[in-house]
Amino acid sequence: MAKFRADPSPSKVDLGVGVYRDLSGNTPVLASVRRAEQAVLAAQTTKSYVAAAGREEFNRAVEEMVLGSDHAARRERRARTTQTPGGCGALRVGAELIRAAAPTVTVHVSDPTWGNHTPLLGSSGLRLERYPYYDPATHRLRFDAMLERLDRSAEGDVVLIHACCHNPTGADLDPQQWQALAQLLARRRLVPFLDLAYQGFAAGLEADAAGVRLVATQVPEALIAISFSKNLGLYRERTGALIAIGENETRADAMLSHMLQIARSAAIAAHIFANPGLKGEWIEELTAMRTRIADMRALLAQHLHEATGDAAFDFIRLQHGMFSLLGVSVQAVERLRDEHHIYMLADSRMNLAGITPHNVAYVARAVAAVNPRGPG
Ligand SMILES: Cc1ncc(COP(=O)(O)O)c(C=O)c1O
């Protein structure tokens, strides 16, 4: 980020930082959020503390958005939700909960996974291991290897799963794969820890929760870490939640009492969720963000196809959310930065929201120049 800021080139392109950007390169305040902010401000009569678990109406709305209105875990009163400071807070509280309940378990994370998963989960003292997930050579999931590895893990181990828009690969499970994974988790008594940070960025609010809902019907216990940083554009408000599903009401209550150490206001999000007009407006804005990313995926794939003369980068079109691994070497990433002013992470994770119709041809030509034969 510092190098990008210091680069004086007028054609510089930032595909590194993980926030949504619109066609003009801005990370806007959504109109629905602005309206909710004004309403919350006007109605606010106190800055006193909210309840330990946060706002009741927020927690209920989050459970409904994530699990649906008629999920068995909610009907059977086995779901407990607390506000957290963003998705990071949810992951951290979840890690502490796991550590308190089962200090010796291993948490299995995908290879690769979001860089912050390791510090967030590892710093509570949990042992982490990687399961195969993505094959950089084919740009596809290593699903059989993933199941094979998880099938060999110990009963009670935790499996961290990206619910949609996998970060950094953009490669998600399909419905049959979710079914097979859910069955394996249930059969091997593994505990899913689902990380839902991009609900609405792949196919829509409902569709993107389908995997989470399925898994949560097949296993007795699960944790779900939720972030509203991206889909509501509430990055600095640190709005998130942790849902814990227990085997029975008593277990669920015990989980909640552990979770109550951290609580924060989620007034803006709660106001949007409770107001059908604003919620509709927000869903339209979310759809516009999703569509823009999908459009840029298609456009970049097309330009890369033209610039390189083959279909090696077409996979970008098929993936979900803001991120994909371009699949080029560290040297190519450095040349993109030093010779072409295009910035991405060293593993070639790029943020597709940094692409615009204005810079796409430039980016494609630069990629073709440093990596003429497509990803390695
Ligand atoms: C996979 C994943 N999980 C969780 C988060 C955390 O989100 P937040 O910014 O709300 O803490 C992110 C943010 O980049 C993410 O990519």
Side-chain angles (χ1 to χ4, degrees):
M1 282 164 83
K3 280 193 173 134
F4 176 79
R5 268 197 300 271
D7 186 340
S9 167
S11 38
K12 65 181 178 177
V13 179
D14 184 7
L15 305 180
V17 67
V19 302
Y20 175 80
R21 252 110 29 97
D22 64 16
L23 284 171
S24 331
N26 298 319
T27 300
V29 180
L30 300 187
S32 50
V33 164
R34 239 201 236 298
R35 252 190 272 285
E37 243 170 355
Q38 284 158 0
V40 166
L41 210 63
Q44 197 161 58
T45 54
T46 178
K47 289 282 187 193
S48 175
Y49 292 111
V50 294
R55 292 177 171 263
E56 184 50 37
E57 72 271 27
F58 171 80
N59 292 341
R60 239 180 303 120
V62 171
E63 273 183 26
E64 202 170 310
M65 193 176 300
V66 172
L67 293 172
S69 49
D70 191 37
H71 196 278
R74 296 185 70 218
R75 271 201 319 272
E76 294 158 9
R77 299 174 191 281
R78 296 187 294 110
R80 299 289 181 279
T81 304
T82 177
Q83 274 177 227
T84 58
C88 287
L91 288 163
R92 189 57 210 254
V93 175
E96 295 294 338
L97 184 62
I98 294 164
R99 175 100 174 122
T104 58
V105 297
T106 298
V107 180
H108 301 266
V109 301
S110 63
D111 181 18
T113 196
W114 180 45
N116 282 345
H117 276 148
T118 308
L120 278 169
L121 301 167
S123 58
S124 41
L126 291 165
R127 218 165 74 83
L128 300 188
E129 265 183 33
R130 291 181 176 262
Y131 58 82
Y133 185 78
Y134 182 77
D135 181 358
T138 60
H139 315 288
R140 298 283 192 276
L141 294 189
R142 297 180 61 197
F143 188 67
D144 291 342
M146 169 180 170
L147 287 196
E148 193 269 325
R149 176 67 196 84
L150 293 178
D151 207 3
R152 286 189 281 114
S153 49
E155 182 176 323
D157 274 1
V158 174
V159 184
L160 188 84
I161 305 161
H162 296 234
C164 66
C165 303
H166 184 274
N167 181 2
T169 70
D172 290 338
L173 304 189
D174 67 25
Q176 288 77 28
Q177 290 170 330
W178 273 110
Q179 189 76 51
L181 175 63
Q183 281 166 2
L184 180 131
L185 295 168
R187 179 169 58 76
R188 293 300 327 281
R189 297 181 183 282
L190 302 171
V191 180
F193 191 173
L194 296 140
D195 185 352
L196 180 57
Y198 299 92
Q199 189 178 1
F201 267 45
L205 283 174
E206 293 293 310
D208 294 356
V212 170
R213 292 176 189 179
L214 174 75
V215 166
T217 55
Q218 312 237 327
V219 298
E221 302 205 321
L223 293 172
I224 310 164
I226 299 134
S227 165
F228 292 105
S229 301
K230 317 296 156 93
N231 56 12
L232 277 166
L234 283 177
Y235 301 88
R236 64 177 64 175
E237 258 79 12
R238 315 301 302 127
T239 310
L242 180 67
I243 301 178
I245 297 173
E247 193 160 16
N248 51 47
E249 282 193 61
T250 318
R251 264 292 273 199
D253 284 335
M255 289 160 102
L256 179 66
S257 76
H258 274 294
M259 282 152 47
L260 291 187
Q261 302 142 1
I262 304 175
R264 266 189 57 116
S265 158
I268 298 166
H271 187 84
I272 291 176
F273 300 157
N275 183 318
L278 268 187
K279 188 168 175 191
E281 182 180 1
W282 166 56
I283 289 175
E284 275 177 30
E285 294 184 286
L286 175 59
T287 303
M289 292 194 279
R290 173 172 70 244
T291 308
R292 185 180 117 61
I293 297 165
D295 288 350
M296 291 308 109
R297 284 185 173 281
L299 196 62
L300 180 62
Q302 178 201 327
H303 276 264
L304 282 167
H305 200 140
E306 284 163 17
T308 58
D310 75 44
F313 288 105
D314 280 9
F315 68 90
I316 292 169
R317 193 194 298 270
L318 303 173
Q319 295 171 337
H320 292 151
M322 294 199 290
F323 307 119
S324 279
L325 293 173
L326 186 57
V328 302
S329 65
V330 178
Q331 291 75 19
V333 169
E334 284 169 0
R335 285 188 59 200
L336 283 171
R337 184 188 70 208
D338 298 339
E339 296 169 25
H340 301 278
H341 316 280
I342 296 170
Y343 293 76
M344 61 185 70
L345 302 198
D347 64 359
S348 81
R349 188 196 81 170
M350 56 178 174
N351 181 351
L352 279 304
I355 298 289
T356 64
H358 173 72
N359 68 22
V360 65
Y362 173 75
V363 171
R365 277 197 306 272
V367 171
V370 301
N371 203 78
R373 287 173 308 282

